[in-house]
Amino acid sequence: MKKAIISGIVSCLILLVGCNTTEVLESEVVVSQRDGGNDGISNLISELKNEIIVSITDQTELESDSLAIMIDGGADELTVSVGFPKDAKIDDTLIQQIVEDSIKNVSDTETEKTSEEKTKIKIKIEKN
């Protein structure tokens, strides 16, 4: 009896773990670093988040409240993570391209003086 219960629990855990996997697509973009120290990074993060939300909602059927966006890091490296529902009929490579384009738009339209140093931005796209 005890073996049956234990093997039943193990089977359920295997099924649960298998059902809760998320698909992750990763890439990197390198942009010129902004002058302005922490304020420059804070502004970059804020502009990136706004640009990504607007771009994704404009180019897909997703609503902004179904997106989970997290931007983390410092002056040398940022990580942009975007999560969206698994049942959305949108290819994650499309979301990745939209995020990359958004990063390029924000870095290209930057009016502040930029330094010669570069910031690496990792992109993670998760369907969950």
Side-chain angles (χ1 to χ4, degrees):
M1 179 75 165
K2 197 174 190 181
K3 277 186 172 181
I5 293 174
I6 291 174
S7 56
I9 291 173
V10 170
S11 297
C12 288
L13 288 174
I14 290 171
L15 287 174
L16 287 174
V17 170
C19 293
N20 289 328
T21 60
T22 57
E23 301 170 26
V24 179
L25 183 63
E26 293 187 28
S27 64
E28 287 184 5
V29 176
V30 178
V31 296
S32 294
Q33 225 178 58
R34 290 182 174 199
D35 288 338
N38 289 337
D39 288 339
I41 294 298
S42 296
N43 291 339
L44 174 66
I45 290 172
S46 176
E47 288 177 39
L48 272 177
K49 187 171 183 176
N50 292 336
E51 178 72 21
I52 290 168
I53 290 172
V54 169
S55 295
I56 290 175
T57 56
D58 285 351
Q59 297 179 39
T60 67
E61 70 219 24
L62 293 173
E63 297 294 323
S64 60
D65 59 346
S66 68
L67 299 172
I69 299 177
M70 186 178 86
I71 302 175
D72 187 28
D76 296 335
E77 184 173 303
L78 291 174
T79 301
V80 176
S81 299
V82 178
F84 64 102
K86 188 177 257 187
D87 60 349
K89 295 182 180 3
I90 297 170
D91 188 28
D92 45 351
T93 55
L94 173 64
I95 300 294
Q96 178 188 16
Q97 188 61 50
I98 292 170
V99 172
E100 288 176 4
D101 291 344
S102 297
I103 291 169
K104 290 176 186 171
N105 286 342
V106 168
S107 66
D108 288 346
T109 59
E110 176 53 36
T111 57
E112 294 177 33
K113 182 182 171 197
T114 56
S115 69
E116 295 295 319
E117 296 180 38
K118 302 289 183 183
T119 300
K120 182 174 25 172
I121 302 177
K122 288 178 154 182
I123 302 169
K124 291 183 180 181
I125 308 298
E126 300 181 33
K127 258 186 169 177
N128 46 21

